[in-house]
Amino acid sequence: MTTALVLRAQGIGHLLTAVPALRALRRSGIRIALACPPELSELAALTGVVDRLIPAYGLEPIMWPGLTDRNSDLPFFPEIAVNLHGRGPRSTELLADLRPRRLWAYAEEAYPPGPKWDDDEHETRRWCRLVEWYGLKADPRDLLLPPPMTPSPAAGAVVIHPGGTGLSRRWPPERFAEVARAMAGEDLPVVVTGSRKERPLALLVATQAVLPPQIVLAGRTSLRELCAVVAGARLVISSDTGVSQLATAYGTPSVTIFGPERPERWGPPRERPRHQALRRDADPASVTTADVLKAAAAVLNDGLVRR
């Protein structure tokens, strides 16, 4: 079977938006070695299409096992290298340095022809279009993940996720607290999620919402457990971050507050009304608490009807 090294060395949301393209590769009979951060290994396994994970961070050099370990079960060089990381040239150069037989990437002067990059394209469609240019069939709607075989510690809860990469993309914590307090006031169970580094922020939200610290799951769940929490949640409310992409992947009703990025590039599919994307301008704080509560009520009601 042909082996492809696929570069997608970024976070949760980046991996999830590349799932349809990865599945297109797998359906064509290509074995996938995914170069991504090792902490995403559990999520990569849930996609059902990744055969091997190659530890990689951002634009650091890729240590392809065959280059240093001749006993590796991978070919000495990757047969195909696929750039699902960015437009290049640096990401494309990283793959070209491994001397693959074929290199799939967006057009760059120094490399073989490829499709033209479109800045305004939705991230999921972007990577589907890349593999389609090389002859594969991809479906941008093929985003869903199977629930992890792990019980949720908070089944049926409203998930409040105040963290995220980059302060400019975060909604103010006091507004997350107002929403959490409103949800709890409707007798809905509430949990606050996040990474270990985000635990102080999550505790701040719970404190301002006058909710007990026991509801804070931030720093207490593995990635697989976080997937289980989102998969079994009643609603997910977050800024534009990887957890919002998890909600889309599990079909869990969600409200996502956008700021610098536009939903047209990173938001949920338009044909899925159970996922609401809110944005007024480049500052997430321009979205009000009332906006979020209104959207939450809409998706909760829609979810109750559909279930």
Side-chain angles (χ1 to χ4, degrees):
M1 182 181 288
T2 300
T3 298
L5 171 63
V6 180
L7 177 61
R8 190 65 167 165
Q10 295 154 302
I12 292 173
H14 291 83
L15 175 55
L16 291 172
T17 52
V19 164
L22 291 170
R23 287 177 172 161
L25 287 163
R26 198 69 177 88
R27 283 195 301 269
S28 70
I30 294 174
R31 184 179 184 221
I32 296 174
L34 179 66
C36 77
E39 55 265 29
L40 299 186
S41 60
E42 293 179 321
L43 185 58
L46 287 171
T47 68
V49 295
V50 175
D51 297 283
R52 182 158 183 172
L53 191 141
I54 309 297
Y57 291 98
L59 295 173
E60 295 178 3
I62 302 167
M63 298 305 295
W64 181 249
L67 295 176
T68 56
D69 179 9
R70 293 181 179 273
N71 295 319
S72 169
D73 62 345
L74 294 176
F76 191 60
F77 295 108
E79 296 155 86
I80 305 173
V82 184
N83 186 358
L84 299 187
H85 187 88
R87 66 186 303 169
R90 290 179 61 198
S91 52
T92 304
E93 290 169 357
L94 285 176
L95 294 173
D97 287 345
L98 299 176
R99 291 179 284 164
R101 293 189 180 94
R102 287 175 281 170
L103 177 58
W104 295 4
Y106 274 96
E108 283 290 337
E109 291 183 5
Y111 300 102
K116 184 179 179 181
W117 182 272
D118 179 357
D119 277 330
D120 295 324
E121 193 166 26
H122 191 281
E123 191 72 3
T124 299
R125 177 61 192 146
R126 183 192 314 286
W127 304 115
C128 286
R129 185 166 62 88
L130 174 67
V131 298
E132 287 171 344
W133 198 89
Y134 290 96
L136 305 187
K137 292 183 178 180
D139 183 356
R141 299 168 298 178
D142 192 10
L143 290 163
L144 297 180
L145 294 182
M149 300 298 290
T150 300
S152 170
V158 173
V159 173
I160 304 292
H161 190 89
T165 305
L167 291 176
S168 66
R169 296 167 65 179
R170 293 183 183 179
W171 204 43
E174 61 272 16
R175 296 193 191 172
F176 276 113
E178 290 170 1
V179 170
R181 186 164 58 248
M183 294 289 106
E186 295 293 329
D187 292 327
L188 295 171
V190 174
V191 294
V192 187
T193 57
S195 66
R196 184 177 293 107
K197 290 182 180 179
E198 293 167 344
R199 185 167 176 80
L201 173 63
L203 286 167
L204 173 64
V205 168
T207 299
Q208 291 183 339
V210 197
L211 295 173
Q214 290 85 349
I215 71 161
V216 176
L217 300 183
R220 294 168 48 199
T221 57
S222 67
L223 180 51
R224 184 177 291 271
E225 289 169 333
L226 176 61
C227 289
V229 169
V230 172
R234 187 168 186 177
L235 172 68
V236 174
I237 300 175
S238 73
S239 299
D240 169 26
T241 188
V243 164
S244 67
Q245 302 289 347
L246 272 179
T248 301
Y250 285 115
T252 301
S254 64
V255 177
T256 306
I257 302 101
F258 282 79
E261 287 288 356
R262 291 176 289 112
E264 291 80 9
R265 286 196 58 207
W266 284 93
R270 291 183 177 180
E271 66 272 14
R272 296 187 184 181
R274 297 176 72 187
H275 307 290
Q276 293 288 310
L278 305 179
R279 183 181 190 269
R280 290 185 182 273
D281 57 40
D283 183 1
S286 62
V287 176
T288 68
T289 302
D291 292 332
V292 172
L293 290 174
K294 181 179 179 180
V299 295
L300 279 174
N301 290 334
D302 183 74
L304 289 173
V305 170
R306 288 167 182 254
R307 289 181 182 181

